[in-house]
Amino acid sequence: MKALVKKNREAGLWMEEVPVPQVGKNDVLIRVKRTSICGTDIHIYHWDEWSQKTIPVPMTIGHEFVGEVVATGENVHDVEIGETVSGEGHVVCGRCRNCLAGRRHLCMNTSGVGVNRPGAFAEYLSIPVTNVWHCDPAIPLEVLSCFDPFGNAVHTALSFDLLGEDVLITGAGPIGIMAVAVAKHAGARYVVITDVNEYRLDLARQMGATRAINIQKTSIEETFRELGMKEGFDVGLEMSGNASAFRSMISNMCHGGKIAVLGIQQPETVIDWNTIVFNGLTIKGIYGREMYETWYKMTAMLQSGLDISKVITHRYHYTEFEEAFRVMASGKSGKVILNWEE
Ligand code: NAD
Ligand code: ZN
């Protein structure tokens, strides 16, 4: 089968012919139909420091996908051939305290599809049945292929009560943009999002942001006053990984405000700890998605009118992956989809 492989320990990806993966007793073999490109895939493409430490070579990459079941292992009884499925990219141990307690997103033995084990940018993918998500076939395939990052947005956004609250999101990347729509759907009053990228701020407006501000031109304080807010934001969603964005969030929260941090911060990022202490802020780190509470919420919200389709801005055939990766890395895109069907 064809697969997009990190073949050499250098920048780039290679379209290779590799064997169809083995289907173990507890596994499901999926014929991949659509995939979407994640920031992580861009890091792997460019072979940054994190990738050099993390990715064994050769490795088929990719973890955002949807496809059709074509084979199941002998212990698998509740997955039908032909079914449309997506899947959780975090493969957990199932035996640690958190796994046994149903907090699988907190497993300390997590391995990543397309990072530590063969991924989804391929014609076929094999994953454990416990990682398979049965999709609602009424949801478009390209939206289903984004359930992994959409799940990051949902898990982060729904960390704290949003009904009637004012929400600040830093970073209008694909995940921040989806979080805008989720926060509005969940009943937030104002949703203000910041970035430095006009293309993405415009997408955030289309997804329902009350204000999408370029912090190089407009301050959060200004926006805050203009909206007639007096006490600061109730909930913050850090989705940029940028230190100054994180600092500006901390200084614009109300007393007792709650912040969920998804953005991966630089080591030794300096923040104002005493604002956190004196203003009684809560900070919660977010990794991945809840298995499978987040997946239920994503499905239910889409079924009850949430529309995230505008986050998808580009579509390519898998053979055009170079162009797809170039567009994704340019910052002038939302989600970029690869079609693996003929
Ligand atoms: P992205 O890199 O596409 O988006 C980040 C955005 O932040 C960009 O649009 C960038 O222009 C913007 N930005 C840069 N400086 C800024 C500033 N000073 N103020 C406001 N915005 C600024 O990333 P994404 O795919 O949308 O993911 C969001 C973040 O979440 C990234 O940091 C990513 O690494 C992280 N992430 C974490 C997890 C997890 O499990 N914790 C999972 C996926 C992604
Ligand atoms: Zn575990």
Side-chain angles (χ1 to χ4, degrees):
M1 67 169 186
K2 287 279 187 287
L4 204 44
V5 178
K6 190 75 191 178
K7 190 171 86 171
N8 302 324
R9 302 185 61 81
E10 63 190 43
L13 285 170
W14 292 263
M15 190 60 71
E16 295 285 290
E17 193 64 38
V18 305
V20 172
Q22 300 270 333
V23 194
K25 278 196 283 210
N26 302 308
D27 295 342
V28 172
L29 186 68
I30 299 162
R31 170 75 175 93
V32 175
K33 290 187 167 178
R34 301 285 185 284
T35 59
S36 68
I37 301 176
C38 174
T40 303
D41 304 318
I42 300 293
H43 290 299
I44 299 172
Y45 185 104
H46 290 121
W47 202 234
D48 68 356
E49 213 176 289
W50 169 84
S51 315
Q52 293 175 29
K53 278 190 306 209
T54 315
I55 308 294
V57 171
M59 171 64 73
T60 298
I61 73 155
H63 55 274
E64 303 179 357
F65 69 93
V66 64
E68 176 187 351
V69 176
V70 288
T72 55
E74 64 189 76
N75 291 346
V76 176
H77 303 296
D78 61 348
V79 177
E80 305 297 328
I81 305 293
E83 219 185 318
T84 298
V85 294
S86 179
E88 172 55 55
H90 288 178
V91 178
V92 298
C93 76
R95 298 302 308 159
C96 70
R97 178 179 175 180
N98 277 325
C99 279
L100 290 173
R103 297 183 295 259
R104 288 192 273 182
H105 60 295
L106 298 175
C107 174
M108 54 191 282
N109 307 308
T110 301
S111 112
V113 171
V115 174
N116 313 106
R117 49 180 285 147
F121 290 171
E123 290 180 281
Y124 296 90
L125 168 72
S126 173
I127 53 172
V129 63
T130 45
N131 280 66
V132 169
W133 177 255
H134 303 261
C135 295
D136 173 354
I139 300 171
L141 282 180
E142 53 187 34
V143 171
L144 290 168
S145 77
C146 297
F147 262 41
D148 173 298
F150 178 33
N152 293 132
V154 169
H155 181 195
T156 313
L158 300 188
S159 281
F160 301 113
D161 185 14
L162 296 181
L163 183 61
E165 305 288 37
D166 296 331
V167 178
L168 175 63
I169 304 174
T170 43
I175 300 179
I177 292 169
M178 288 189 276
V180 166
V182 173
K184 288 302 283 184
H185 188 81
R189 181 174 62 165
Y190 300 141
V191 178
V192 174
I193 186 164
T194 66
D195 205 296
V196 292
N197 175 329
E198 289 291 348
Y199 180 99
R200 288 179 156 184
L201 287 167
D202 189 48
L203 276 181
R205 283 180 204 111
Q206 293 178 42
M207 295 283 273
T210 314
R211 294 281 189 285
I213 58 175
N214 186 335
I215 39 89
Q216 290 170 329
K217 296 181 189 151
T218 312
S219 71
I220 298 174
E221 292 80 355
E222 243 176 287
T223 307
F224 177 109
R225 279 196 300 273
E226 195 192 304
L227 289 170
M229 291 171 56
K230 294 197 172 67
E231 300 186 9
F233 289 91
D234 305 296
V235 175
L237 311 175
E238 203 311 287
M239 300 186 152
S240 74
N242 180 281
S244 75
F246 193 15
R247 281 192 285 270
S248 69
M249 173 173 278
I250 290 168
S251 63
N252 280 290
M253 299 302 293
C254 68
H255 288 220
K258 300 176 180 76
I259 297 178
V261 183
L262 180 85
I264 299 170
Q265 309 296 312
Q266 291 302 312
E268 300 177 33
T269 291
V270 174
I271 57 171
D272 181 358
W273 286 99
N274 284 339
T275 299
I276 294 167
V277 174
F278 294 132
N279 294 1
L281 304 185
T282 299
I283 297 196
K284 181 185 178 189
I286 305 287
Y287 182 54
R289 300 139 299 277
E290 289 187 359
M291 292 164 229
Y292 280 84
E293 204 50 26
T294 305
W295 293 77
Y296 277 96
K297 297 277 191 196
M298 286 190 272
T299 306
M301 285 190 288
L302 293 174
Q303 290 167 339
S304 61
L306 174 67
D307 182 6
I308 58 156
S309 57
K310 286 199 178 86
V311 78
I312 298 166
T313 55
H314 295 76
R315 297 152 180 90
Y316 296 96
H317 191 251
Y318 74 91
T319 50
E320 303 167 303
F321 72 91
E322 288 286 6
E323 178 61 10
F325 273 73
R326 194 195 60 70
V327 165
M328 186 71 188
S330 74
K332 290 209 163 135
S333 79
K335 290 306 291 184
V336 176
I337 307 291
L338 293 176
N339 182 345
W340 288 81
E341 292 182 297
E342 282 319 314

